[in-house]
Amino acid sequence: MTPATDDASAPRVRDHGGGVHSLRVPIPDNPLGHTLVHLLDTGRGPVLVDTGWDDPTAWDALSAGLAACGTSVAEIHGIVITHHHPDHHGLSGRVREASGAWIAMHPADATVVRRTREAEPRLWLDYLAGKLERAGAPEAHIAPLRAAGGTGQLPGLRPAVPDREIVPGELLDLAGRRLRAVWTPGHTPGHTCLHLEETHPAGSPGNGRLFSGDHLLPGITPHIGLYEDPDDTTMTDPLGDYLDSLERVGRLAPAEVLPAHQHAFTGAAERVRELLAHHEQRLAGLLALLAEPLTPWQVAERMEWNRPWEQIPYGSRTIAVSEAESHLRRLVKLGRAEVTPGGEPARYVAV
Ligand SMILES: [Zn+2]
Ligand SMILES: [Zn+2]
């Protein structure tokens, strides 16, 4: 994602009306600043949409935010997770321990959670190193991964395994509320937006409200990379998934969007059009680059980012290459580019 500045003066808790609050939960040392955790009152107790980063500061902010809403962690009845990323799902396990709440997640992201828990850090690093090698990354970029893999010195992540599946298109089982799951793969394979099919409390025209997670944000383009599944050898097309998902939420035409970062906004359809145009432009720029065969790494070096390539830190370069590859795959799926024959690293060229 492109960094956004956090507005520290914004209130920690906001009442959106109709039994919906947002709580700003900080993400330490991250330009995103905070996750907006949403609290939805139901007939059987408060339900959280996402929980925030697993960190003592975030936990304190979540607890204080719930207190300001007149409730507490212990009273949470359920947790609905938009996607498995740690700034959304990090505190879920702790909230469940303190409250006995259930955790619901789309099965595709639940699979990622299980894989993350079971994966040996070394195997994961080997997978990543192999992938970067095939993308044409220079040895200097791959070497630190091999070194870390050799020592096995990477802490394993232990995200909470969800207890309920979110079924796309279905209403969640919430007393007195109509919250429908809208599967929006792209940012992750199981990313899900939640559509509150209720009249807007301020009477704004449009079709209810949408908890959009990272799928639709007012001023940031979410990262669309590969799905990073070592066991999956199929040519997934995350960018294609994302663009389809954008059109899906655009058609919903919600009166208001409640995203997981930045701030609530209106004009979902317009924002969708902007994002579709942004990616269309990106694909056109990429196609122009592919007049000569290029590896994904070379493509990433030449693509436009929020700063010059030389200034992009190490970890972000790995993410950038993944983003370049998702765009290359889209062009291949559209029949506008192809992989040149002749082994690794893969080289792409315009058709
Ligand atoms: Zn995310
Ligand atoms: Zn996020």
Side-chain angles (χ1 to χ4, degrees):
M1 277 199 213
T2 334
T5 36
D6 190 29
D7 180 6
S9 63
R12 299 277 122 192
V13 172
R14 193 177 148 194
D15 185 352
H16 295 274
V20 176
H21 288 82
S22 59
L23 284 55
R24 285 158 57 94
V25 176
I27 316 173
D29 304 320
N30 187 302
L32 271 177
H34 64 270
T35 306
L36 291 173
V37 169
H38 287 94
L39 181 71
L40 177 68
D41 295 339
T42 80
R44 295 192 53 197
V47 165
L48 290 178
V49 179
D50 291 337
T51 53
W53 190 270
D54 185 6
D55 174 89
T57 329
W59 175 258
D60 291 347
L62 180 66
S63 306
L66 290 171
C69 296
T71 182
S72 69
V73 175
E75 286 175 70
I76 298 300
H77 166 62
I79 301 163
V80 184
I81 295 297
T82 59
H83 66 296
H84 72 82
H85 284 163
D87 52 326
H88 300 258
H89 183 46
L91 282 173
S92 306
R94 223 173 139 184
V95 174
R96 179 167 61 188
E97 253 169 57
S99 61
W102 45 261
I103 302 173
M105 186 185 279
H106 187 283
D109 270 27
T111 301
V112 179
V113 164
R114 285 192 198 91
R115 198 169 61 226
T116 309
R117 290 172 63 96
E118 287 156 16
E120 257 196 73
R122 226 190 73 74
L123 291 180
W124 171 249
L125 288 168
D126 285 351
Y127 159 75
L128 207 57
K131 209 185 71 109
L132 283 164
E133 201 173 299
R134 286 191 295 283
E139 189 50 36
H141 188 84
I142 306 173
L145 290 175
R146 296 201 214 280
T151 58
Q153 275 178 359
L154 250 203
L157 271 176
R158 303 287 290 167
V161 175
D163 351 66
R164 289 191 186 185
E165 274 195 3
I166 293 180
V167 185
E170 302 264 297
L171 286 173
L172 276 91
D173 183 17
L174 298 179
R177 310 252 23 178
R178 289 184 64 84
L179 188 67
R180 195 177 297 279
V182 184
W183 185 28
T184 48
H187 180 59
T188 68
H191 192 291
T192 303
C193 293
L194 287 314
H195 187 210
L196 193 57
E197 298 178 336
E198 298 169 7
T199 314
H200 191 276
S204 306
N207 185 12
R209 289 184 279 180
L210 188 74
F211 298 104
S212 65
D214 281 359
H215 178 60
L216 194 62
L217 299 157
I220 315 175
T221 314
H223 166 65
I224 310 296
L226 301 184
Y227 289 145
E228 310 296 7
D229 179 355
D231 305 322
D232 186 6
T233 51
T234 59
M235 272 292 245
T236 53
D237 176 18
L239 181 58
D241 292 345
Y242 178 66
L243 298 175
D244 288 349
S245 300
L246 274 181
E247 291 187 2
R248 194 168 307 138
V249 302
R251 279 194 298 273
L252 274 182
E256 191 176 14
V257 181
L258 304 169
H261 303 288
Q262 300 194 297
H263 53 82
F265 65 101
T266 56
E270 196 191 333
R271 182 66 187 137
V272 163
R273 276 196 297 276
E274 271 174 24
L275 287 165
L276 289 172
H278 164 82
H279 285 287
E280 195 48 53
Q281 225 176 34
R282 228 148 191 227
L283 286 170
L286 206 59
L287 205 55
L289 289 176
L290 294 180
E292 53 168 334
L294 295 174
T295 67
W297 182 273
Q298 291 169 324
V299 167
E301 282 178 325
R302 288 162 174 75
M303 277 170 86
E304 239 179 76
W305 303 102
N306 59 351
R307 66 200 120 167
W309 182 255
E310 302 71 47
Q311 290 170 25
I312 296 179
Y314 177 86
S316 305
R317 287 188 181 193
T318 303
I319 293 170
V321 173
S322 186
E323 183 125 356
E325 280 198 87
S326 73
H327 282 74
L328 288 167
R329 283 203 189 172
R330 181 89 282 256
L331 288 176
V332 171
K333 289 259 169 172
L334 292 169
R336 293 162 79 182
E338 63 183 22
V339 180
T340 60
E344 290 179 358
R347 284 192 166 74
Y348 291 77
V349 69
V351 177

